[in-house]
Amino acid sequence: MSRGSSADPFSTFLNATNRQVTHGHSPAGPGRSTEALPPVAMLVIQALYGRPRTAVGDLRVGLGLTTLQIAEAVEVLRRLSLVEVIAAEADEAVEITPSGREFVDGTR
């Protein structure tokens, strides 16, 4: 995601999803909305809750989603500062942020 020259297919798909994503009209903070996340993004953030840094490939397999679905969900979550994407050796990893944990806590 942050590596423009990455050969990682996840990065390629994510670069293709770099378009403005809007969710509602009343921000709850910088880049946030009080409206619900898309269903796939909600699955991803719930899967990350309580887990350490997770490789994108492991997340994809564990949730049974396509690389494109994961890429779009992670991009929405990243823009809302609910997750952070970390460059890793062979695959990128995703980690829930403190804001992301607070968000999930508020949905339970």
Side-chain angles (χ1 to χ4, degrees):
M1 290 180 263
S2 59
R3 296 177 290 174
S5 62
S6 174
D8 177 26
F10 179 71
S11 295
T12 303
F13 280 114
L14 187 59
N15 288 337
T17 65
N18 282 342
R19 57 188 175 270
Q20 184 64 35
V21 178
T22 57
H23 296 281
H25 298 89
S26 63
R32 296 214 180 102
S33 169
T34 56
E35 291 193 19
L37 291 174
V40 174
M42 197 64 175
L43 281 174
V44 170
I45 197 164
Q46 288 174 339
L48 292 170
Y49 188 84
R51 292 176 69 175
R53 206 172 275 182
T54 305
V56 170
D58 293 343
L59 192 58
R60 182 184 56 76
V61 170
L63 293 174
L65 298 171
T66 66
T67 302
L68 183 57
Q69 287 174 308
I70 293 289
E72 290 175 336
V74 168
E75 180 60 12
V76 168
L77 296 169
R78 186 194 62 77
R79 286 179 188 233
L80 295 171
S81 301
L82 300 176
V83 300
E84 180 180 350
V85 179
I86 299 100
E89 292 177 23
D91 196 3
E92 289 174 325
V94 182
E95 186 171 40
I96 194 168
T97 63
S99 295
R101 282 189 292 278
E102 288 177 23
F103 174 81
V104 175
D105 286 339
T107 63
R108 293 180 177 206

